[in-house]
Amino acid sequence: MPGKAAGGEDDTVAAPAAAGSGEGPHGPLLDDLMPWSVRPLRTGRAWVTAPDAASLRARWDRLVRASGEERERLFAPTRARTQRSAVAALPGRSGATGRFAREAGPCPEPVRVLHGPYDEQWLLPDHRLIDMARPELWRVADGHQLFLVEHGRVPHDPGPAVSVTTLLPDGHSPAGRPGRVRPLYRRPGGLEPNLAPGLLPVLRARYGDEVTAESVLAWVLAAARPAPAGCVVPLPADAGRWAEGVGLGRELLRLQLRGTRGAERPRLPGGQRPYVRAAVPPVPASLSYEAGERVLALGTGRVSPVPAGAWDFRVSGVRVLDLWFERRAAACGAPGAGADAAGLEAVRPRAWPQEWTSELLDLVTLLALLAELRPRQEALAGALAAGPGSGEDGLREAGVLPVGEAARRPASVLDHQEEGPDGQFALL
């Protein structure tokens, strides 16, 4: 259900030459600078995620009350998961590990996750229900961790190459090949930065002693560009350009933290903040944008003012607001948007929850502020492209590149007990 801009205006976005063009930008690969990465989660069954937590609790209750063939159908078994699969608990979770066929207990508390770029949803944190949960991500997810998420590359896409979150990301990409998830730290507690061995000393010698793992992450947020060979991160020749990019990256990081970890909650200036001018109907059938009035219309609902930058904001070539709305329209049974859902996916809100409207206002604010920073990112990309080299040769001369295979594997957590299948424990 793609949205449209009213008034006959062309709502396509011209791509800058540096984004996904022919040869693409040059520089060290993100895969070398942050060598440990994890593939996206694969749930195997769509009903374990939802935009609202209440639906997940209701789905669980219906499933555990069912029996026989109905329960098997509702569970939706796959090659990786059936009701009789023997599965360890998710790291850091106290979920049951007995065969799900015998499960009759209460629903585990849903957890907030990032479903694709900028879309916060809910997940049932039960390893028995998830085909590929990527336990290595759960193992390092704590109050110190930041997850860098690569977006699927689409040629001539002007959108950001990466984003960052404190939530556990599922790595879903709206288009193109799914990217990788890169934790900033390899161990819980903010220990052992996920950076190429020897990278920090080289960068400190070049840019100053204040270079940290988080400032490298900030630089990546500001400077990373998509390219055919993978996401590249050019490095500047001078400390001034580095400081400029890190400052920009810290602004991007602050916005995407969305008020967590002590960060300031993103806010537009007074008079520019979006408000609900007409209530969203119980089942909004469409999403559109009235550019002249800066109004976002959800059926008969009206939100304004909505900056054009928020409406036009795309990731992997897909408009973020369109995708956000489509998922929720499907979740509440809007005509033509998942109205034929079956099984546990049919357990969903009967009407648009108020909390979704609040989340929409927050998302519009975030996208508008990120859009305001895009010209600075493009200017930085142009300056780096015109500069002397990309920094890759210097890293090779210093022995940072190529990166050894050990840095690409997760760290061993030798003092951490986790519950294995049927209540057994394993030392990892």
Side-chain angles (χ1 to χ4, degrees):
M1 183 188 303
K4 57 184 182 298
E9 297 184 11
D10 182 4
D11 64 354
T12 58
V13 176
S21 60
E23 293 183 2
H26 300 283
L29 290 174
L30 177 59
D31 192 53
D32 288 330
L33 299 184
M34 298 182 69
W36 176 44
S37 66
V38 181
R39 293 180 180 178
L41 275 65
R42 191 174 76 233
T43 62
R45 45 199 54 76
W47 61 263
V48 301
T49 60
D52 67 306
S55 292
L56 295 181
R57 297 187 185 99
R59 291 170 184 178
W60 175 281
D61 292 343
R62 180 178 174 187
L63 177 61
V64 298
R65 287 198 306 267
S67 60
E69 293 182 0
E70 181 189 10
R71 179 161 175 154
E72 184 75 358
R73 177 183 63 83
L74 292 174
F75 183 88
T78 60
R79 183 181 302 176
R81 288 290 184 272
T82 72
Q83 292 193 76
R84 290 158 291 281
S85 297
V87 182
L90 286 172
R93 311 299 304 182
S94 58
T97 58
R99 305 301 200 274
F100 197 86
R102 303 191 295 268
E103 180 61 64
C107 179
E109 189 61 26
V111 297
R112 200 70 157 154
V113 296
L114 192 72
H115 180 55
Y118 313 116
D119 189 352
E120 296 184 356
Q121 296 205 21
W122 297 90
L123 170 72
L124 285 173
D126 191 314
H127 207 179
R128 300 170 299 175
L129 306 179
I130 306 172
D131 280 11
M132 296 292 180
R134 311 303 178 193
E136 56 270 42
L137 286 181
W138 295 78
R139 197 167 288 129
V140 298
D142 63 11
H144 302 274
Q145 188 63 266
L146 293 169
F147 293 102
L148 189 74
V149 184
E150 293 180 60
H151 304 311
R153 177 183 174 270
V154 175
H156 310 295
D157 169 35
V162 296
S163 59
V164 67
T165 179
T166 60
L167 300 177
L168 187 84
D170 63 11
H172 176 79
S173 178
R177 183 178 179 181
R180 311 276 292 196
V181 177
R182 299 180 189 274
L184 180 58
Y185 299 105
R186 292 167 50 83
R187 297 180 185 275
L191 302 177
E192 192 178 337
N194 178 24
L195 299 174
L199 177 63
L200 278 179
V202 170
L203 297 184
R204 286 169 180 159
R206 183 182 299 177
Y207 307 128
D209 292 340
E210 68 278 5
V211 175
T212 64
E214 190 165 304
S215 60
V216 174
L217 176 68
W219 175 263
V220 171
L221 286 173
R225 309 292 287 182
C231 188
V232 299
V233 185
L235 296 175
D238 64 281
R241 188 74 68 192
W242 169 266
E244 173 192 349
V246 169
L248 173 58
R250 290 192 186 278
E251 291 185 54
L252 293 165
L253 174 60
R254 177 186 62 82
L255 293 176
Q256 294 177 61
L257 291 184
R258 303 193 191 194
T260 62
R261 309 278 176 86
E264 179 185 352
R265 189 178 182 86
R267 293 172 65 90
L268 286 163
Q272 299 297 316
R273 296 169 189 165
Y275 290 95
V276 177
R277 310 298 179 175
V280 179
V283 184
S286 63
L287 179 74
S288 61
Y289 183 64
E290 300 170 10
E293 300 295 325
R294 298 199 302 167
V295 170
L296 188 66
L298 296 84
T300 58
R302 294 290 186 273
V303 174
S304 71
V306 174
W311 169 252
D312 287 330
F313 201 95
R314 288 170 167 84
V315 174
S316 298
V318 177
R319 184 181 284 119
V320 171
L321 285 176
D322 266 343
L323 190 59
W324 184 94
F325 175 78
E326 287 175 8
R327 289 166 176 164
R328 283 151 183 82
C332 68
D340 58 347
L344 292 177
E345 286 183 74
V347 179
R348 57 196 179 188
R350 295 184 178 181
W352 184 274
Q354 177 61 40
E355 65 192 67
W356 291 357
T357 303
S358 299
E359 291 174 11
L360 174 60
L361 297 178
D362 289 342
L363 181 59
V364 166
T365 299
L366 172 64
L367 297 180
L369 292 170
L370 290 176
E372 289 180 1
L373 295 178
R374 289 299 295 170
R376 290 174 58 187
Q377 288 183 267
E378 296 301 329
L380 177 63
L384 292 171
S390 64
E392 184 174 3
D393 291 342
L395 295 183
R396 292 190 181 280
E397 292 172 3
V400 175
L401 301 180
V403 178
E405 285 304 311
R408 301 189 185 280
R409 296 192 293 268
S412 298
V413 184
L414 299 177
D415 58 351
H416 185 69
Q417 277 193 330
E418 294 174 9
E419 188 172 351
D422 293 321
Q424 300 178 8
F425 280 87
L427 186 66
L428 301 179

PDB file of all heavy atoms in Angstrom, residues 9 88 158 212 215 242 255 265 273 297 307 350 413:
ATOM      1  N   GLU A   9       2.680  16.195  -7.627  1.00  0.00           N
ATOM      2  CA  GLU A   9       4.118  16.435  -7.593  1.00  0.00           C
ATOM      3  C   GLU A   9       4.884  15.131  -7.713  1.00  0.00           C
ATOM      4  O   GLU A   9       4.448  14.090  -7.237  1.00  0.00           O
ATOM      5  CB  GLU A   9       4.504  17.140  -6.294  1.00  0.00           C
ATOM      6  CG  GLU A   9       3.883  18.512  -6.148  1.00  0.00           C
ATOM      7  CD  GLU A   9       4.362  19.214  -4.908  1.00  0.00           C
ATOM      8  OE1 GLU A   9       5.320  18.722  -4.286  1.00  0.00           O
ATOM      9  OE2 GLU A   9       3.790  20.257  -4.553  1.00  0.00           O
ATOM     10  N   ALA A  88      18.131 -24.609  23.512  1.00  0.00           N
ATOM     11  CA  ALA A  88      18.645 -23.910  24.684  1.00  0.00           C
ATOM     12  C   ALA A  88      17.908 -22.595  24.870  1.00  0.00           C
ATOM     13  O   ALA A  88      17.304 -22.056  23.933  1.00  0.00           O
ATOM     14  CB  ALA A  88      20.140 -23.652  24.525  1.00  0.00           C
ATOM     15  N   PRO A 158      19.800   7.244  -2.141  1.00  0.00           N
ATOM     16  CA  PRO A 158      20.416   8.336  -1.398  1.00  0.00           C
ATOM     17  C   PRO A 158      20.323   8.178   0.115  1.00  0.00           C
ATOM     18  O   PRO A 158      20.800   9.042   0.852  1.00  0.00           O
ATOM     19  CB  PRO A 158      19.590   9.547  -1.850  1.00  0.00           C
ATOM     20  CG  PRO A 158      18.227   8.975  -2.071  1.00  0.00           C
ATOM     21  CD  PRO A 158      18.448   7.583  -2.630  1.00  0.00           C
ATOM     22  N   THR A 212      38.101   7.016  20.606  1.00  0.00           N
ATOM     23  CA  THR A 212      37.576   5.872  21.343  1.00  0.00           C
ATOM     24  C   THR A 212      36.759   4.999  20.403  1.00  0.00           C
ATOM     25  O   THR A 212      36.512   5.364  19.245  1.00  0.00           O
ATOM     26  CB  THR A 212      36.678   6.333  22.500  1.00  0.00           C
ATOM     27  OG1 THR A 212      35.522   7.003  21.938  1.00  0.00           O
ATOM     28  CG2 THR A 212      37.417   7.272  23.444  1.00  0.00           C
ATOM     29  N   SER A 215      33.755   6.955  19.318  1.00  0.00           N
ATOM     30  CA  SER A 215      34.005   7.976  18.295  1.00  0.00           C
ATOM     31  C   SER A 215      34.223   7.336  16.922  1.00  0.00           C
ATOM     32  O   SER A 215      33.852   7.921  15.895  1.00  0.00           O
ATOM     33  CB  SER A 215      35.198   8.862  18.677  1.00  0.00           C
ATOM     34  OG  SER A 215      36.385   8.117  18.832  1.00  0.00           O
ATOM     35  N   TRP A 242      38.375  14.693  10.648  1.00  0.00           N
ATOM     36  CA  TRP A 242      37.925  13.618  11.542  1.00  0.00           C
ATOM     37  C   TRP A 242      37.020  14.194  12.647  1.00  0.00           C
ATOM     38  O   TRP A 242      35.938  13.661  12.908  1.00  0.00           O
ATOM     39  CB  TRP A 242      39.127  12.914  12.143  1.00  0.00           C
ATOM     40  CG  TRP A 242      38.792  11.965  13.263  1.00  0.00           C
ATOM     41  CD1 TRP A 242      38.796  12.249  14.602  1.00  0.00           C
ATOM     42  CD2 TRP A 242      38.389  10.600  13.155  1.00  0.00           C
ATOM     43  NE1 TRP A 242      38.433  11.143  15.335  1.00  0.00           N
ATOM     44  CE2 TRP A 242      38.172  10.115  14.464  1.00  0.00           C
ATOM     45  CE3 TRP A 242      38.192   9.729  12.089  1.00  0.00           C
ATOM     46  CZ2 TRP A 242      37.769   8.808  14.728  1.00  0.00           C
ATOM     47  CZ3 TRP A 242      37.802   8.428  12.346  1.00  0.00           C
ATOM     48  CH2 TRP A 242      37.592   7.978  13.644  1.00  0.00           C
ATOM     49  N   LEU A 255      20.313  11.251  18.134  1.00  0.00           N
ATOM     50  CA  LEU A 255      18.945  11.170  17.617  1.00  0.00           C
ATOM     51  C   LEU A 255      18.441   9.735  17.627  1.00  0.00           C
ATOM     52  O   LEU A 255      17.304   9.462  18.040  1.00  0.00           O
ATOM     53  CB  LEU A 255      18.882  11.740  16.201  1.00  0.00           C
ATOM     54  CG  LEU A 255      19.127  13.244  16.049  1.00  0.00           C
ATOM     55  CD1 LEU A 255      19.129  13.632  14.581  1.00  0.00           C
ATOM     56  CD2 LEU A 255      18.064  14.034  16.802  1.00  0.00           C
ATOM     57  N   ARG A 265      15.825  13.459  24.257  1.00  0.00           N
ATOM     58  CA  ARG A 265      14.776  12.967  23.368  1.00  0.00           C
ATOM     59  C   ARG A 265      14.684  13.874  22.143  1.00  0.00           C
ATOM     60  O   ARG A 265      14.638  15.106  22.276  1.00  0.00           O
ATOM     61  CB  ARG A 265      13.433  12.943  24.099  1.00  0.00           C
ATOM     62  CG  ARG A 265      12.322  12.256  23.333  1.00  0.00           C
ATOM     63  CD  ARG A 265      11.052  12.260  24.172  1.00  0.00           C
ATOM     64  NE  ARG A 265       9.981  11.573  23.501  1.00  0.00           N
ATOM     65  CZ  ARG A 265       9.771  10.264  23.550  1.00  0.00           C
ATOM     66  NH1 ARG A 265      10.601   9.513  24.259  1.00  0.00           N
ATOM     67  NH2 ARG A 265       8.765   9.697  22.922  1.00  0.00           N
ATOM     68  N   ARG A 273       6.686  21.098  15.473  1.00  0.00           N
ATOM     69  CA  ARG A 273       6.398  19.775  16.026  1.00  0.00           C
ATOM     70  C   ARG A 273       5.067  19.244  15.505  1.00  0.00           C
ATOM     71  O   ARG A 273       4.075  19.969  15.492  1.00  0.00           O
ATOM     72  CB  ARG A 273       6.385  19.838  17.554  1.00  0.00           C
ATOM     73  CG  ARG A 273       7.736  20.205  18.138  1.00  0.00           C
ATOM     74  CD  ARG A 273       7.661  20.523  19.615  1.00  0.00           C
ATOM     75  NE  ARG A 273       8.937  21.067  20.082  1.00  0.00           N
ATOM     76  CZ  ARG A 273       9.119  21.702  21.222  1.00  0.00           C
ATOM     77  NH1 ARG A 273       8.070  21.882  22.044  1.00  0.00           N
ATOM     78  NH2 ARG A 273      10.298  22.183  21.558  1.00  0.00           N
ATOM     79  N   ALA A 297      -1.769  12.155   5.998  1.00  0.00           N
ATOM     80  CA  ALA A 297      -3.143  11.681   6.138  1.00  0.00           C
ATOM     81  C   ALA A 297      -3.157  10.171   6.289  1.00  0.00           C
ATOM     82  O   ALA A 297      -2.624   9.447   5.447  1.00  0.00           O
ATOM     83  CB  ALA A 297      -3.971  12.089   4.923  1.00  0.00           C
ATOM     84  N   PRO A 307       7.354  17.689   8.024  1.00  0.00           N
ATOM     85  CA  PRO A 307       8.308  18.176   7.019  1.00  0.00           C
ATOM     86  C   PRO A 307       8.440  17.209   5.851  1.00  0.00           C
ATOM     87  O   PRO A 307       8.343  15.985   6.009  1.00  0.00           O
ATOM     88  CB  PRO A 307       9.625  18.290   7.800  1.00  0.00           C
ATOM     89  CG  PRO A 307       9.217  18.392   9.241  1.00  0.00           C
ATOM     90  CD  PRO A 307       7.976  17.561   9.351  1.00  0.00           C
ATOM     91  N   ARG A 350      -8.263  -4.907  16.913  1.00  0.00           N
ATOM     92  CA  ARG A 350      -9.421  -4.656  16.061  1.00  0.00           C
ATOM     93  C   ARG A 350      -9.469  -3.215  15.593  1.00  0.00           C
ATOM     94  O   ARG A 350     -10.217  -2.890  14.667  1.00  0.00           O
ATOM     95  CB  ARG A 350     -10.712  -4.995  16.823  1.00  0.00           C
ATOM     96  CG  ARG A 350     -10.833  -6.476  17.160  1.00  0.00           C
ATOM     97  CD  ARG A 350     -12.172  -6.764  17.813  1.00  0.00           C
ATOM     98  NE  ARG A 350     -12.336  -8.181  18.095  1.00  0.00           N
ATOM     99  CZ  ARG A 350     -13.425  -8.706  18.657  1.00  0.00           C
ATOM    100  NH1 ARG A 350     -14.438  -7.913  19.010  1.00  0.00           N
ATOM    101  NH2 ARG A 350     -13.492  -9.999  18.875  1.00  0.00           N
ATOM    102  N   VAL A 413      32.701 -16.563  25.978  1.00  0.00           N
ATOM    103  CA  VAL A 413      32.235 -16.063  27.270  1.00  0.00           C
ATOM    104  C   VAL A 413      32.421 -17.200  28.261  1.00  0.00           C
ATOM    105  O   VAL A 413      31.538 -18.023  28.487  1.00  0.00           O
ATOM    106  CB  VAL A 413      30.762 -15.616  27.187  1.00  0.00           C
ATOM    107  CG1 VAL A 413      30.312 -15.011  28.513  1.00  0.00           C
ATOM    108  CG2 VAL A 413      30.580 -14.609  26.062  1.00  0.00           C
TER     109      VAL A 413
END
